[in-house]
Amino acid sequence: MTIEEVLAFDEMQIFDRKSIHIEPKSLAITIVAFANADGGTVALGISDKSRRIEGTDYNIRQLNELLTVPYDFCEPTVQVAIEKVPCTDEKGRDNHVVLMHIEPSSHVHANQADEVYLRVGDKSKKLGFNERLQLIYDKGERFFEDKPVPEAEMDDLDIDFVEEYIRKIGYRKNAISFLTENKGFVKIKQGKEQISTAAILLFGKRPQNFFPRARIRFIRYDGTEERFGAEMNVVKDVIFEGNILKMVMDSIAYIDTQIKEKTYLGKDGLFVTEDEYPKFVRQEIIVNAVTHRAYSISGTDIHIKMFDNRIVVESPGKLPGLVRADNIRNTHFSRNPKIAEFLKAYNYVKEYGEGVDRMYREMAEAGLQEPQYYTNAFLLHTVIYNSRKEKPAFNSENMAIDAENPAIQDKKLSIEILKSAIKKQSYNEPTVKNIIAIYDAIEADQIFGAPEVKNILRCSISASKEIMKKLRDIEVVRSVKGKGKGKYRFVNSEEMER
């Protein structure tokens, strides 16, 4: 990397600049946040606000203190690679900027004060107790892409395609060196090559030999409902296989052929022709499904279901990390960071976290309702509509949205409203934490009761019933009929106001 490239980067999810005079404990926050999220690079010796080049060569003692931060101020130790970039500093002297490259970690890291941070956009977010616990759970699932694939060998990888990729990213060694020396794609243990899941999915000649359901299936229906048996209304059913890039490219190209155009009279008196769904949006929902799918769930494909009024993408796995339906526009967490980085090189993944926010903006600009997210069992559903008129009509035992209860909206109340309702009571701190934990764990419009609370809090059934009582007392839940005794959902903001 050159100094010009370092200066050109904006601070973002995976990059930050720090002055050589930063305190070690402050640098630890950034290092921990990167390790807990998608990894990243810290450039030492550049003022983070003015981009003034200070360099590091004339502050050796301070530099040495900062280089020990991953060991002395992080628990557990964060693995960091160091790169020195030549530069001319603000005083005209030959100097160097030091880059600290941090890989995403399979562990949850804390600083010397036992505080856990997560990189969110260009900030390091301090996590509360429940967020920290959730991160521990998600880390266990996250690195399935690093697991070795039994029976896989180097011959199962497309070396020509690896060569194409490393040319694209500017890697100067050969393909074998890239695979064995970077990101654990191929490891040598006891003289035997171990091929990772990510290597097979990204560079495999025939990935479906090892992961038969790592596919994308496109299904088009006649009408607005999915019917079965004698009434089956499937008119298209196409399966896309191959490596990750091929599946993404092929499925996006195919769905483009299925999109209708709409023509209307514009404000200037001229006719305007537009696609029924913005191109970026329909591309992004496929890329997100491939990037964040839980590949450990091997029993189903990614499904793209197109109806007359909407597209539904079903991807194995819930929303990853700390991402929820109500914070998805500004919170990012990669379940598969190697796949995300790969697709970013091909411009399918945008700057981390940017894609979803852009989807919302483009749908609004096109006069369409915003994307909908919900989970059903182990599947994440992403829904986009081609008009403002349609309302979600999800038919799911785990969801509270259906045609018989049109008053239910697609979003639960905000955390601010919940906290305001709690403050009106004299609950102790553990009770408050438990209520917020339930709020964080329950999806918008998910039906729940004491058994679900018991599983989330790992408490007794009597304790879970007491929590449900408190939720009713502060009037943040509503009873749901026809789903069994003692079933509720969180209210939405409009209902609270009424």
Side-chain angles (χ1 to χ4, degrees), residues 465-479:
K465 288 181 178 179
E466 184 63 25
I467 290 295
M468 288 303 304
K469 179 180 182 302
K470 287 179 168 56
L471 289 172
R472 294 193 298 271
D473 289 345
I474 60 177
E475 300 181 340
V476 296
V477 294
R478 292 283 174 88
S479 176

Side-chain angles (χ1 to χ4, degrees), residues 106-370:
S106 58
H107 302 286
V108 173
H109 295 267
N111 65 1
Q112 80 288 349
D114 195 35
E115 298 167 331
V116 172
Y117 289 83
L118 186 73
R119 189 72 173 183
V120 180
D122 61 353
K123 299 290 188 300
S124 297
K125 170 183 168 60
K126 183 178 176 180
L127 303 187
F129 173 80
N130 291 306
E131 293 173 319
R132 183 172 179 167
L133 188 63
Q134 183 65 46
L135 185 61
I136 292 172
Y137 293 152
D138 290 318
K139 286 279 186 176
E141 180 187 62
R142 175 178 188 169
F143 286 87
F144 180 80
E145 66 175 1
D146 287 334
K147 290 187 176 181
V149 180
E151 309 302 325
E153 301 176 350
M154 288 292 285
D155 286 346
D156 294 307
L157 301 180
D158 186 342
I159 300 302
D160 289 339
F161 180 56
V162 179
E163 290 283 0
E164 174 190 315
Y165 175 68
I166 63 177
R167 284 195 298 271
K168 190 172 190 67
I169 64 175
Y171 184 80
R172 292 183 176 83
K173 296 183 181 180
N174 60 34
I176 301 300
S177 296
F178 173 76
L179 292 170
T180 56
E181 298 175 9
N182 291 272
K183 304 186 182 302
F185 284 125
V186 176
K187 295 179 180 178
I188 310 297
K189 289 195 175 180
Q190 299 178 343
K192 180 176 174 58
E193 295 165 341
Q194 292 188 343
I195 316 299
S196 72
T197 296
I200 291 294
L201 292 173
L202 295 174
F203 306 116
K205 295 175 182 175
R206 291 173 292 277
Q208 285 71 34
N209 286 354
F210 302 95
F211 302 99
R213 304 304 293 272
R215 312 179 302 185
I216 298 175
R217 183 180 179 187
F218 174 87
I219 308 171
R220 177 148 194 168
Y221 296 89
D222 181 21
T224 60
E225 298 179 358
E226 184 176 354
R227 295 194 292 272
F228 305 92
E231 297 182 344
M232 182 176 289
N233 56 333
V234 173
V235 294
K236 298 278 186 182
D237 192 340
V238 184
I239 291 177
F240 303 99
E241 295 185 340
N243 63 39
I244 292 287
L245 182 62
K246 184 177 189 304
M247 288 193 295
V248 167
M249 293 176 64
D250 290 352
S251 58
I252 289 174
Y254 187 82
I255 201 172
D256 284 349
T257 68
Q258 303 299 304
I259 297 299
K260 298 176 182 177
E261 293 182 341
K262 55 183 180 181
T263 301
Y264 60 91
L265 191 63
K267 294 180 179 179
D268 56 2
L270 300 176
F271 282 99
V272 179
T273 300
E274 294 177 346
D275 291 346
E276 58 179 329
Y277 304 97
K279 182 174 179 60
F280 175 83
V281 174
R282 60 183 192 256
Q283 171 179 302
E284 186 71 8
I285 59 174
I286 296 172
V287 171
N288 279 345
V290 172
T291 304
H292 300 300
R293 123 164 229 175
Y295 287 93
S296 58
I297 299 174
S298 57
T300 186
D301 317 317
I302 292 172
H303 285 174
I304 306 170
K305 297 182 177 181
M306 178 179 275
F307 299 87
D308 289 354
N309 64 337
R310 69 192 186 280
I311 296 175
V312 181
V313 176
E314 300 174 357
S315 180
K318 296 183 178 182
L319 285 167
L322 306 181
V323 182
R324 297 289 178 265
D326 57 357
N327 69 8
I328 195 169
R329 295 185 68 169
N330 50 34
T331 302
H332 174 82
F333 187 91
S334 292
R335 179 178 278 122
N336 307 294
K338 294 178 177 62
I339 293 174
E341 183 176 351
F342 173 88
L343 289 174
K344 189 173 186 298
Y346 287 90
N347 295 320
Y348 282 110
V349 169
K350 306 304 176 185
E351 296 303 338
Y352 293 87
E354 174 195 328
V356 172
D357 184 58
R358 180 174 166 185
M359 279 175 56
Y360 275 78
R361 286 187 278 110
E362 291 211 3
M363 291 292 279
E365 290 170 2
L368 305 175
Q369 65 175 287
E370 64 185 28

Side-chain angles (χ1 to χ4, degrees), residues 425-450:
Q425 308 294 327
S426 56
Y427 297 148
N428 58 32
E429 185 176 352
T431 296
V432 173
K433 286 184 176 180
N434 284 337
I435 291 175
I436 293 177
I438 297 304
Y439 172 88
D440 288 339
I442 297 296
E443 302 288 344
D445 297 303
Q446 181 178 343
I447 297 173
F448 69 101

Side-chain angles (χ1 to χ4, degrees), residues 350-490:
K350 306 304 176 185
E351 296 303 338
Y352 293 87
E354 174 195 328
V356 172
D357 184 58
R358 180 174 166 185
M359 279 175 56
Y360 275 78
R361 286 187 278 110
E362 291 211 3
M363 291 292 279
E365 290 170 2
L368 305 175
Q369 65 175 287
E370 64 185 28
Q372 310 290 331
Y373 294 88
Y374 71 98
T375 55
N376 180 10
F378 58 88
L379 293 175
L380 171 65
H381 297 239
T382 305
V383 188
I384 55 173
Y385 287 85
N386 56 16
S387 76
R388 281 190 181 276
K389 297 178 181 179
E390 299 294 340
K391 296 296 181 184
F394 308 135
N395 182 17
S396 165
E397 292 182 356
N398 294 329
M399 303 299 295
I401 300 177
D402 56 39
E404 297 176 0
N405 205 339
I408 298 176
Q409 303 298 314
D410 63 323
K411 288 185 178 180
K412 61 185 177 185
L413 75 167
S414 70
I415 186 65
E416 290 78 13
I417 293 176
L418 176 67
K419 289 180 177 179
S420 176
I422 293 172
K423 283 182 179 180
K424 297 177 181 178
Q425 308 294 327
S426 56
Y427 297 148
N428 58 32
E429 185 176 352
T431 296
V432 173
K433 286 184 176 180
N434 284 337
I435 291 175
I436 293 177
I438 297 304
Y439 172 88
D440 288 339
I442 297 296
E443 302 288 344
D445 297 303
Q446 181 178 343
I447 297 173
F448 69 101
E452 289 76 18
V453 171
K454 178 178 179 292
N455 290 335
I456 293 168
L457 298 180
R458 299 182 181 180
C459 62
S460 66
I461 189 64
S462 60
S464 67
K465 288 181 178 179
E466 184 63 25
I467 290 295
M468 288 303 304
K469 179 180 182 302
K470 287 179 168 56
L471 289 172
R472 294 193 298 271
D473 289 345
I474 60 177
E475 300 181 340
V476 296
V477 294
R478 292 283 174 88
S479 176
V480 176
K481 306 297 183 183
K483 300 295 183 180
K485 184 178 179 180
K487 294 300 181 181
Y488 296 83
R489 62 171 176 84
F490 275 107

